[in-house]
Amino acid sequence: MPPVDDLRGFLAVLKENGQLLEFDETVQPEPDLGSAGRAVSTVGGEAAPALLFNSIAGFHDARVALNVHGSWRNHALMLGLPAESTVKVQFDTLRTRWQKFPVPVDRRGEAPWQEITVRGDDINLFEQLPVFRLNPGDAGPYIDKSAVITRDSADSDNFGKENVGLYRLQVKGPRKLGIQAAAPHDFQRHVSSASKLKEGLPVAIAIGNDPIIMLAASTPLDYDQSEYEMAGAWRDGVPYPVATAPLTGLTVPWGSEIVLEGEVHYEDREFEGPFGEFTGHYSGGRMLPTITIQRIHTRKNPILEALYLGIPWTEIDYLIALNTSVPIFEQLHDAFPEVKAVNAMYTHGLVTIVSTSIRHGGFGRVVGLRALTIPHGIGYSKIVIVVDETVDPFNLEQVMWALSTKFNPEFDAITIPRMYEVPLDPSSLPTGITTRMVMDATTPRPPDERGSADPEVTSFPDAERWESIIKDALA
Amino acid sequence: MSAILCPRCRSTAVSEVAYSPVPDVWSMSSCSMCWYAWRSTEGPSARDPEQYPKEFRLSAGDLTSAPTTV
């Protein structure tokens, strides 16, 4: 089945597979939408459906979609896999398709989001979009699931450096947004370039997209790797459809429901937040840049897509699970071909589990330390657990067994103080600084002789034959 | 309802900034000191300064001491 080019196409796929719940009765922006976003993860777990609300109080024709990525079933359907596909199968699919990168984009002319355009002072984001407060302690309504597109002003013709990122946007006024990014993010490099040239930074914000571009937008790619060309790879080689935003000239998804265009004010910093974040905690307030919106383009009867964030697991955890794990795997594997798999599904990789074969004694900790210095590891990878290649890092029972029996805190815990990390981790002190820890739970190898008198339990080769017998008996 | 004080920071820099496209369903208010925004149809804990949760309130000091991270 070819990949879908827009959100409506994917909602149809979800519906065909029993993964979409539609609500036609009118709901209140608050507290209904945020409450439903929380509840669907609690009730549905790994099989939770997406939600589509067709009537929002006070709006004529607004619609809101939630939890589009919010279960392993939805995630599998996004990849064109059977809904029941295991996490490991989905990891391997993304890893295999990664090899097709880069896939040139499919640049198209007219886009569906060009149906309606509102300009300048006629814009009122609160009235034209059904934005809402997601959690009680949030500063106000946020646009929390969009593709934010900017260029490097110092190298504006470099398509690879045109960034598509997922950043939270506080709706602060009729035409005003606040935007949050951290120091290692590509957006911050673009702000720095604009600041040096003393130019405003054009920005496009695409809302309500096909699911693959949101997966790519929230993937920690290298600075000059194009999210659009990665989306093509993850569409199994089918070029990603894009169009040109008329005011800014930025490249935006062809299939979006809503496209905003405007300018980032690189010199301004203004109080933003708090907002309930992917850490499962409210962020503190920060001084952050602002954006003025100059155009809103929408389809007729557009769908505002939003993302629920709360105490894990919620939709955000599914969205940034495997697209965090795969690039860390690729970057580690480039350095050490012994690395077999990476599970960085916990809070965007603040805890990362790596399985690897071992060259020699002490090798596990070498691999673990490397995970701290790859691009994503600089801001995340607070705790890295390294296990043998025989341990599946997605199987937490196996990982806990390795930690229980192969890890001696006196010898196998490495701590490095005063490291940078994403400021949103509430345990950091000062904000954005933490100690890192590598836990080497691989089996000691010579010349480290620990445990050599107590080898792992083996089983009779006949156990495999008995597996078949028992499976047949159970069938 | 047009609040005089921001429920979160208690500033008076508050104004109504939006009205529901379907008339008279809700209005949106915003504080230009701490940028808290609330809808008239939200519960009193979101719009009444006396009932706004203590753990989310902000002082003038909170606003001036917030870190710059980018």
Side-chain angles (χ1 to χ4, degrees):
Chain A
M1 190 177 68
V4 297
D5 289 345
D6 60 11
L7 176 61
R8 296 178 191 209
F10 189 55
L11 293 177
V13 170
L14 292 172
K15 190 170 186 175
E16 282 167 26
N17 287 272
Q19 286 296 115
L20 180 69
L21 278 182
E22 282 193 72
F23 296 87
D24 293 330
E25 60 270 37
T26 300
V27 297
Q28 294 295 325
E30 300 88 9
D32 287 335
L33 294 170
S35 302
R38 170 69 262 180
V40 73
S41 290
T42 304
V43 173
E46 297 186 356
L51 306 177
L52 180 61
F53 296 92
N54 290 319
S55 178
I56 315 296
F59 291 93
H60 290 294
D61 60 357
R63 294 189 285 170
V64 172
L66 279 162
N67 211 49
V68 169
H69 289 81
S71 64
W72 288 124
R73 284 193 189 182
N74 292 7
H75 196 280
L77 291 168
M78 167 183 66
L79 299 175
L81 299 173
E84 299 74 23
S85 302
T86 64
V87 178
K88 186 64 167 39
V89 164
Q90 296 187 51
F91 172 82
D92 288 337
T93 299
L94 286 171
R95 202 180 68 175
T96 304
R97 292 183 188 174
W98 176 284
Q99 309 310 322
K100 297 187 178 184
F101 174 84
V103 176
V105 295
D106 169 11
R107 196 170 282 276
R108 298 182 184 176
E110 286 190 13
W113 45 261
Q114 291 167 337
E115 283 181 303
I116 300 166
T117 295
V118 181
R119 293 176 168 80
D121 287 336
D122 290 335
I123 294 169
N124 190 320
L125 295 166
F126 294 114
E127 296 175 0
Q128 283 143 10
L129 302 178
V131 292
F132 60 97
R133 189 191 315 282
L134 190 70
N135 283 307
D138 292 348
Y142 274 72
I143 296 167
D144 72 343
K145 193 176 190 183
S146 68
V148 178
I149 299 129
T150 50
R151 284 192 180 131
D152 186 335
S153 307
D155 192 9
S156 58
D157 294 332
N158 188 325
F159 183 67
K161 291 183 183 174
E162 185 169 18
N163 185 56
V164 185
L166 172 54
Y167 303 108
R168 80 185 200 199
L169 301 160
Q170 183 184 350
V171 184
K172 300 176 106 175
R175 295 179 58 190
K176 179 178 180 175
L177 300 174
I179 182 166
Q180 177 187 257
H185 288 146
D186 294 349
F187 176 81
Q188 167 56 14
R189 293 173 72 159
H190 291 183
V191 168
S192 296
S193 285
S195 178
K196 282 177 193 158
L197 294 169
K198 300 198 180 305
E199 292 177 354
L201 178 65
V203 61
I205 297 159
I207 308 167
N209 299 304
D210 68 287
I212 289 282
I213 195 60
M214 294 316 301
L215 189 76
S218 52
T219 300
L221 297 178
D222 289 346
Y223 182 56
D224 58 358
Q225 289 181 324
S226 164
E227 287 80 9
Y228 292 126
E229 293 176 343
M230 183 57 73
W234 278 342
R235 284 157 59 95
D236 208 11
V238 179
Y240 186 76
V242 298
T244 302
L247 178 68
T248 55
L250 290 159
T251 306
V252 296
W254 171 85
S256 301
E257 294 285 324
I258 300 155
V259 173
L260 314 180
E261 294 187 90
E263 185 173 302
V264 181
H265 304 291
Y266 62 86
E267 284 184 325
D268 293 349
R269 294 291 183 278
E270 190 176 81
F271 190 83
E272 192 270 1
F275 179 67
E277 267 289 352
F278 71 95
T279 59
H281 297 75
Y282 288 107
S283 70
R286 312 257 196 265
M287 302 302 287
L288 291 172
T290 61
I291 295 172
T292 297
I293 298 301
Q294 295 155 331
R295 298 273 194 284
I296 300 182
H297 313 279
T298 72
R299 297 182 182 217
K300 288 176 185 155
N301 198 16
I303 303 170
L304 180 93
E305 190 188 7
L307 174 76
Y308 184 78
L309 308 96
I311 293 178
W313 272 45
T314 62
E315 182 183 3
I316 185 73
D317 299 290
Y318 292 96
L319 177 64
I320 60 174
L322 296 183
N323 67 355
T324 306
S325 304
V326 169
I328 293 176
F329 168 81
E330 292 293 338
Q331 290 157 8
L332 275 179
H333 189 259
D334 281 348
F336 300 116
E338 290 86 352
V339 172
K340 301 300 180 199
V342 170
N343 173 0
M345 302 200 301
Y346 308 103
T347 318
H348 210 6
L350 284 178
V351 174
T352 295
I353 306 164
V354 181
S355 76
T356 181
S357 63
I358 299 294
R359 282 186 210 170
H360 49 70
F363 187 72
R365 61 198 65 202
V366 172
V367 172
L369 288 167
R370 180 71 178 209
L372 307 185
T373 56
I374 60 172
H376 186 68
I378 293 169
Y380 295 81
S381 302
K382 180 171 68 173
I383 297 171
V384 178
I385 303 169
V386 188
V387 295
D388 288 321
E389 65 177 315
T390 50
V391 173
D392 175 2
F394 293 97
N395 183 328
L396 293 187
E397 286 83 358
Q398 290 186 12
V399 173
M400 289 302 112
W401 167 72
L403 265 183
S404 303
T405 60
K406 298 176 185 296
F407 172 81
N408 182 329
E410 182 171 356
F411 306 118
D412 300 320
I414 303 167
T415 57
I416 304 177
R418 311 294 284 177
M419 298 281 280
Y420 173 80
E421 74 159 342
V422 60
L424 291 170
D425 180 353
S427 72
S428 63
L429 185 70
T431 298
I433 296 292
T434 189
T435 295
R436 302 292 190 96
M437 174 177 267
V438 172
M439 304 169 83
D440 181 5
T442 60
T443 305
R445 306 298 205 284
D448 187 345
E449 301 291 348
R450 284 178 295 148
S452 58
D454 306 298
E456 291 177 9
V457 173
T458 54
S459 57
F460 291 115
D462 296 70
E464 282 188 28
R465 181 169 62 84
W466 271 96
E467 282 183 21
S468 300
I469 292 170
I470 292 169
K471 278 182 187 165
D472 290 346
L474 287 170
Chain B
M1 184 188 102
S2 179
I4 296 170
L5 292 178
C6 169
R8 186 167 76 162
C9 76
R10 309 211 159 208
S11 130
T12 55
V14 164
S15 58
E16 288 190 333
V17 292
Y19 303 92
S20 55
V22 176
D24 302 324
V25 178
W26 48 256
S27 63
M28 182 71 72
S29 297
S30 172
C31 169
S32 58
M33 191 64 69
C34 76
W35 299 104
Y36 180 72
W38 67 99
R39 203 183 311 266
S40 58
T41 45
E42 291 192 74
S45 64
R47 55 187 170 76
D48 178 351
E50 296 309 313
Q51 297 191 53
Y52 189 79
K54 287 189 171 56
E55 63 267 34
F56 300 139
R57 290 183 189 178
L58 296 175
S59 66
D62 292 329
L63 299 177
T64 54
S65 64
T68 299
T69 55
V70 290

